Amino acid sequence: MRVTIFGSGYVGLVTGACLAEAGNHVICVDVDAGKVDRLNAGEVPIHEPGLDTLIKRNKEAGRLEFSTDAAKGVEHGLFQLIAVGTPPEEDGSADLRYVLAVARTIGTHMGRYSIIVTKSTVPVGTADKVRKAVEATLQARQAAVEFDVVSNPEFLKEGAAIQDFMKPDRVIIGTDNPRTVELMRMLYDPFTRNHERFIVMDVRSSELTKYAANAMLATKISFMNELANVAERVGADIEKVRVGIGSDPRIGYSFIYPGTGYGGSCFPKDVKALIRSARDAGHQPDILGAVEAVNARQKEVLVHKMRRHFEDRLKGRTVALWGLAFKPNTDDMREAPARTIIDMLLAAGARVRAYDPVALEEARRIYAARSSEFTLCRNAYEAAEGADALAIATEWQEFRSPDFERLRELLRQPLIFDGRNLYDPAVLARFGFTYYGVGRGKSVGAG
């Protein structure tokens, strides 16, 4: 099938590569000529495991193209997928200017029946706005061309996006047109053949489903972080509580890991946008407001622990930081807890020596002006050398079983602030460390 995707960011690239892998002919259109040139030269601008190989294979097979030619893209595809960004406005609402610009572009060049699909995460009612934008453009051209608008939200986890697309938990299709349902079913059939995951609903329910899913997961994270703060004050261990409640199948273990809060490009933006949508609809979403407030506070937890330990004397201290990306297997530092930790430490006069397996270049770009206080290191042990303490912000696999004896020798004092509860406090105590976790009762080794 012939597919055009507008937007060559995270969603557009993963979707395009996976659809091409299934045998479709895909053109990804982007207004950024530099990005298109880099993609055509074989350079993938994002870190996602396996994506570079998938793009290379399908480009060489002639099934995947990258172009700035919007007219060519519209002429090419029966399916016109909109996968451009929807950055948050100052009031938290989603900025739809790029989505609607693509809609007008499609309307400008469309000459035959097309299915216009919103893949971008958008508020309820966006499909209606897309339809009106296309209709207005067609009317200005005095052209009568049939089209349908479908909501098809993405549910891709950074670091596991290819697996999520190839073997989806669900494919949500929002449309009222039976013909469109069957054409969308044909497009996704290679990915849903073994297990029926194809779910059809009305457009507005589909649009809300994406926000609801991310808001629910964010709520679980903030709830566990709230419990962690309670556990710490009453002398309980939140990790044991997590096992106890996770064994209940009604709760489960997913997204109940306490830590330094959530980040990334989705949860923070989508919670804000859902809050704004609810208020615009006349409802005050108190739970969502609390989720956001708890998360903002949780990102500061490690630095507050450091302040207490050092009796509010962080100036002149050096802190080793393991992990910069908001989660493992990505270089995405948008809204990452590590950024809050770095900013607070630098503001307090401390120096930071940081390491991350893949996000060093992104960190270099963000903190280019702070190079005298913020040092990027080649590996985890180099970051720890001469530091007054080690803080862990991202649960990368390589951080889970370090050489604690070597680490104790490298650090100026054996002190760990574990923002992801990677380590057993009893084990750290045997190695002579003072250990602060999240929600783990009295800190081991602390006086």
Side-chain angles (χ1 to χ4, degrees):
M1 304 184 83
R2 300 171 75 85
V3 180
T4 297
I5 301 176
F6 285 91
S8 294
Y10 186 84
V11 175
L13 287 177
V14 172
T15 301
C18 291
L19 288 174
E21 181 74 2
N24 300 291
H25 185 187
V26 180
I27 295 179
C28 291
V29 177
D30 202 288
V31 296
D32 186 338
K35 180 188 287 187
V36 169
D37 289 342
R38 291 193 297 273
L39 285 164
N40 281 324
E43 181 184 337
V44 179
I46 61 172
H47 178 83
E48 179 61 37
L51 182 59
D52 51 353
T53 302
L54 208 60
I55 288 175
K56 182 176 185 291
R57 180 164 63 240
N58 285 283
K59 274 184 85 280
E60 291 175 349
R63 293 189 297 264
L64 182 60
E65 302 176 40
F66 299 99
S67 176
T68 58
D69 190 340
K72 175 185 175 183
V74 176
E75 193 278 331
H76 167 81
L78 165 62
F79 299 94
Q80 306 281 329
L81 276 59
I82 302 177
V84 294
T86 54
E89 299 274 24
E90 288 187 8
D91 63 359
S93 60
D95 183 351
L96 297 178
R97 76 180 80 173
Y98 305 117
V99 171
L100 297 179
V102 172
R104 288 188 289 270
T105 296
I106 294 170
T108 298
H109 300 291
M110 189 167 59
R112 65 172 186 274
Y113 173 73
S114 296
I115 300 173
I116 302 170
V117 183
T118 55
K119 292 293 292 182
S120 303
T121 301
V122 293
V124 175
T126 299
D128 294 337
K129 294 178 180 179
V130 168
R131 179 180 298 280
K132 289 176 181 177
V134 175
E135 287 174 344
T137 307
L138 289 173
Q139 188 174 14
R141 290 173 51 201
Q142 297 183 329
V145 184
E146 187 183 1
F147 69 95
D148 281 304
V149 179
V150 176
S151 169
N152 174 217
E154 55 84 16
F155 297 95
L156 305 176
K157 298 187 295 291
E158 289 193 44
I162 293 172
Q163 175 75 6
D164 287 345
F165 196 100
M166 294 295 194
K167 296 181 179 179
D169 294 323
R170 73 282 208 200
V171 175
I172 304 291
I173 302 296
T175 181
D176 298 318
N177 188 331
R179 176 181 64 172
T180 308
V181 170
E182 291 311 308
L183 288 168
M184 293 297 293
R185 191 185 299 275
M186 289 171 62
L187 181 65
Y188 279 105
D189 186 58
F191 312 103
T192 60
R193 188 168 294 170
N194 293 335
H195 302 282
E196 182 54 50
R197 298 287 190 260
F198 198 82
I199 303 171
V200 180
M201 60 184 70
D202 62 277
V203 173
R204 287 179 171 251
S205 295
S206 173
E207 290 172 330
L208 183 55
T209 295
K210 169 64 177 182
Y211 278 135
N214 279 352
M216 175 62 79
L217 297 176
T219 299
K220 293 182 74 173
I221 294 170
S222 282
F223 179 76
M224 282 305 293
N225 283 331
E226 191 81 293
L227 282 183
N229 294 326
V230 174
E232 199 159 287
R233 285 157 177 78
V234 300
D237 186 342
I238 193 62
E239 290 299 317
K240 294 175 181 176
V241 175
R242 177 181 63 79
V243 173
I245 65 174
S247 61
D248 185 332
R250 296 171 301 174
I251 298 172
Y253 291 104
S254 296
F255 288 85
I256 61 168
Y257 290 83
T260 53
Y262 60 78
S265 63
C266 294
F267 287 7
K269 174 174 70 71
D270 293 353
V271 170
K272 283 182 171 66
L274 186 53
I275 290 172
R276 185 66 202 185
S277 293
R279 288 173 178 165
D280 288 346
H283 176 70
Q284 178 59 37
D286 293 335
I287 289 177
L288 295 178
V291 167
E292 193 175 42
V294 167
N295 191 62
R297 187 176 67 220
Q298 198 68 17
K299 289 181 179 182
E300 302 178 352
V301 160
L302 282 196
V303 179
H304 291 319
K305 290 176 183 288
M306 293 181 208
R307 285 186 182 279
R308 286 194 294 271
H309 178 87
F310 290 112
E311 298 178 340
D312 219 22
R313 293 194 293 268
L314 286 175
K315 187 174 182 178
R317 303 280 184 184
T318 298
V319 176
L321 181 62
W322 285 4
L324 295 166
F326 84 95
K327 62 182 284 190
N329 298 318
T330 180
D331 61 351
D332 193 344
M333 288 182 63
R334 286 174 288 185
E335 304 273 353
R339 293 183 65 169
T340 300
I341 294 168
I342 293 166
D343 293 345
M344 291 180 69
L345 288 172
L346 296 183
R351 293 182 296 273
V352 177
R353 294 173 57 82
Y355 169 71
D356 187 283
V358 302
L360 293 179
E361 287 305 313
E362 180 65 4
R364 186 172 285 111
R365 181 189 67 80
I366 294 169
Y367 291 100
R370 308 298 298 270
S371 58
S372 61
E373 313 142 276
F374 179 71
T375 304
L376 292 169
C377 301
R378 293 169 295 178
N379 59 62
Y381 296 107
E382 182 182 316
E385 189 171 358
D388 294 288
L390 167 64
I392 299 167
T394 314
E395 64 274 29
W396 284 95
Q397 194 67 27
E398 68 177 82
F399 299 156
R400 292 181 180 275
S401 297
D403 182 338
F404 288 115
E405 290 185 351
R406 181 183 178 188
L407 194 58
R408 190 181 62 221
E409 292 172 0
L410 289 170
L411 290 167
R412 195 170 293 166
Q413 48 187 302
L415 175 61
I416 294 178
F417 295 88
D418 183 358
R420 297 297 175 183
N421 287 354
L422 297 186
Y423 308 132
D424 184 336
V427 171
L428 269 291
R430 287 199 295 272
F431 279 101
F433 281 89
T434 298
Y435 175 81
Y436 294 87
V438 177
R440 310 206 73 173
K442 188 176 186 299
S443 298
V444 172

